[in-house]
Every structure is written in structure tokens, then in C-alpha cells.
Amino acid sequence: MAYFKVEKIQFEGPKSKNPLAFKYYNPDEIVMGKTMKEQLRFAMSYWHTFTYMGTDPFGGNTMARSWDQTSDAMERAKERVYAAFEFMEKMQIPFFCFHDADIAPRADSLAETNRRLDEIVAVIKEEMNRTGIKCLWGTTNAFGDEKFVHGAGTSCNATVFAYTAAQIKKAMEITKELGGQNYVFWGGREGYETLLNTDTELEMDNLARLLQMAVDYAKEIGFTGQLLIEPKPKEPTKHQYDFDTASVLAFLRKYNLQDYFKINVEANHATLAAHTFQHELNQCRINGVLGSVDANMGDPVLGWDTDQFPTNLYDTTLAMYEILLDGGFKKGGLNFDAKVRRASFEDEDLFYGYIAGMDAFARGLKVAAKLIEDRVFEDFKEQRYASYKEGIGKDIIDGKVGFKELEEYAIKNGISHNRSGRQEMLENILNQYIIETR
Ligand code: XUL
Ligand code: CO
């Protein structure tokens, strides 16, 4: 049975007026030595695409999905699998990402919840075999349920810590079973509302203990996927421990976990941390921890996690610029952690959302590749930092001088002229590349 009336989305090129076609995403086109499909590694988020029904803090569902009409929860979960794979096939999306709670309904007991997961995982596996669609990453939802009211791994209640560990254990097992290429930790409730009741030291030590157990268990069961941490500064808690890339790196290094984790950068989380998306990717790249990306965007006039489909070409270009400079994705990819607006409640809107995001990143990829090929920023930067290539600058880099020698140098030579940073010129060149790149 088909759940969607829309036919398979095809590449028709930038002149096409067909809203149900790709204008820029041409899966087989080669960009920097790989096909667009291989460079972009698009993934569908199971939660926003197949479990979000349009609720917001002020109102209930607005979306009546054709795959969501059966009253039996397990039957509904199976229909969701079939609808999800039909959608990915029609969208030409090669990967999916999921939380345990997205694929199977929770039961009262953990044992029954796990049994249900196994039943649905078997159906997903069949669909994966039928379609060749793969799992980019799995994760656990240890934030939605009432038991996580004080946190999961950072809960003040040790039995909640134990429950969280059990839930992650199972989620990791099913991610392995599905051939997941990564496993993500987003600490939904790992943060605090007030320091008046919070032992931050114990909570952060416990979070590290939980992650160490995950590392050990991955090794034990032979899960070779990349472990990823997804930073976010706030929402749902006032302060999340995994605030941004820099604080996650400091955390990993403090607890000696830096060899086992990379980062899953989400665009809208960067915005909430008052960083640009490019900043977060850049920090990952220079620290060797660029793992994967949750592709979405926020709204500049709304200060919360709106999870919109990414359509800002500056952001997609500069994101792909950092990703290409990093040598492209290895195990990671671009997961659309994005949802259509509450008022875009028809099934067809899901297609428009994904087409918009995929086209924006395809365009971003091509522009970024051209910028790198032409060494637009590289040549400028090389010249800007040229004073470190010779003379005193080279001595600083080579560690040949200390304060005494530098004082001597400064007294004798003073400083050479500073040169303009040429920001506006570079911004205009960037515009030209975005408009003119073919
Ligand atoms: C929440 C968020 C999550 C994670 C996975 O803001 O981004 O969906 O990506 O738990
Ligand atoms: Co995310």
C-alpha cells in the first residue's frame, strides 16, 4: 500500500518550475571527486518526520497522517516503518536516524519495551534489505518520559541513572543490529534549572561515568560505529552541560574520553549558543572531532529551537566549506533534524521540506567546492598570516624565542604596519560565488 500520492522526486535542474522536483540535488553529479549522494549523505529524522503531529506548547495535533490511523500501537509502529521507507525511497534519501522511542511504543515494563523494539527492528531490517537504505545513527530518548524529570545520567536519583544505562544498552544493541554507522548522545535533560539544588560536580562526574560505560559496552559487543555527542546550550533545561563544542571538548578531556567521541553539530543549537553554524563546525574541524551534522535552522527573530528545514544558502555554503576542508564526511552525514511548520500539515509538505533542505545543501556543496578549488579564502588567509612564515614570526612558531628575546626584538624593531582585514570585499566575493557558481 502506498501512503503518499507524490511520485519519486527527480532532479530536473534549476530551470524547472515543478515544485516536486530537485533543482540542485543531482545525486550522481560528481563534486570534488565524489557523487553528491556520497558527499552529502542525507538522512531522514524518524522523529520529526514520522512522529511529529504538529503540537506546540499552546495546542495539539494539526496533522492527521495516513500511517497513523490504526488504534493498535504496535500496528501503528509497523505502518510507520512502511511509510518511512516509502518516503525515503521517493525522496532518494539514503539514510535514516532514530530514537528508540520513535520506532516502538514504550510499555510499562522495560522488558516488554525491549521486546517491542525487537519486533519493530525486524520489520525495519526487512525494509532496509528491500530498499538498500541504511542507518546513519541511533540514539535513546532519555528525556521525554516523566522519570527523567531530574535528568537521566545526571539525575539525583540513582535508580534513574541505572534505568538510563539500561535504555542506552538496548538502544546501542539495536543500532548495531541495524548497522548504524554512529551512535548519538544528546543529553536532553542533562543540565539544571537552578544551582540552589544542584551538585554540578557529582552530576558531571556521573555523566562521564555513563559515557565511559557506553564506551566499554560498545567495545564488548563489537559496535564499531562512531560515538557522537550533540551539544546544545539550553532547552529543555536552562543550562545544558553539553553547551557547545568547546565545552564538550573540555568535558571529554577532563574525563579522558576524548579518544572515543566526536561531535554531532546541530545548526539551530549553534544559534542558541550564540555561535554561527560555521563556527561550531570550524571548532570541530580544527580539533579533529567533526563527526556528523543535524541539518536544520532556527529563526533569527525567535530565540528557541524551531528546527526548521535549512534554506539559508550562506549557512549551507559555509557549512559545506568546513566539511569539505575536513576531507568530507567519513561515517557522518547530514541528518535533517527538521520539521515542517505546524500549519504545513498536509503529507505533501514533508516533500517540500526535504526538497528545500536537500537543494539548499546541494547548492551549498557546489559553491563551497568552487570556493575551495579557487582558494578564495585560503590565499587571502595565507597572505594575512604571512608574517609567521619567516623572521621573528617563524621563530615564534618554531618555539625558538621566549619573552626575553621578544622584548629585545620589540625594542629594536617596533611593529610593522597592520593591514586591512577586507571583510566587506570577502563578503562580496562570497555573494558572487553563491550567485554565479554553476
Ligand atoms: C533536540 C535534538 C535531538 C537530537 C537527538 O534538540 O536535536 O533530536 O538530535 O536526540
Ligand atoms: Co539534533
Side-chain angles (χ1 to χ4, degrees), residues 256-275:
N256 228 0
L257 289 163
Q258 67 276 14
D259 294 342
Y260 307 109
F261 291 87
K262 288 189 172 170
I263 307 275
N264 185 38
V265 174
E266 177 161 327
N268 204 163
H269 298 178
T271 310
L272 292 176
H275 298 313

Side-chain angles (χ1 to χ4, degrees), residues 162-307:
Y163 196 97
T164 306
Q167 216 180 287
I168 295 173
K169 174 178 176 289
K170 182 67 183 175
M172 207 175 246
E173 288 164 6
I174 60 177
T175 301
K176 176 175 184 260
E177 176 79 16
L178 294 173
Q181 301 190 14
N182 307 268
Y183 185 89
V184 164
F185 293 84
W186 172 60
R189 302 275 170 192
E190 316 295 27
Y192 62 81
E193 298 299 331
T194 172
L195 289 175
L196 300 181
N197 67 12
T198 306
D199 182 343
T200 49
E201 190 173 17
L202 177 66
E203 290 199 1
M204 291 177 88
D205 286 354
N206 278 349
L207 187 55
R209 289 185 179 104
L210 186 74
L211 293 175
Q212 182 63 57
M213 288 178 201
V215 169
D216 295 342
Y217 193 65
K219 220 176 272 174
E220 195 178 321
I221 64 172
F223 175 68
T224 53
Q226 176 64 52
L227 303 181
L228 299 170
I229 295 183
E230 181 176 324
K232 184 173 184 178
K234 54 190 171 190
E235 274 190 58
T237 69
K238 173 194 173 82
H239 178 94
Q240 303 269 134
Y241 292 125
D242 298 334
F243 193 95
D244 60 0
T245 299
S247 39
V248 169
L249 280 176
F251 175 89
L252 291 173
R253 288 168 184 165
K254 171 173 177 184
Y255 295 101
N256 228 0
L257 289 163
Q258 67 276 14
D259 294 342
Y260 307 109
F261 291 87
K262 288 189 172 170
I263 307 275
N264 185 38
V265 174
E266 177 161 327
N268 204 163
H269 298 178
T271 310
L272 292 176
H275 298 313
T276 62
F277 186 20
Q278 187 189 7
H279 167 91
E280 284 294 84
L281 291 166
N282 175 280
Q283 289 303 296
C284 286
R285 176 169 68 77
I286 66 170
N287 285 287
V289 290
L290 206 173
S292 197
V293 169
D294 272 9
N296 61 14
M297 70 176 185
D299 184 306
V301 298
L302 298 176
W304 66 88
D305 198 8
T306 56
D307 285 337

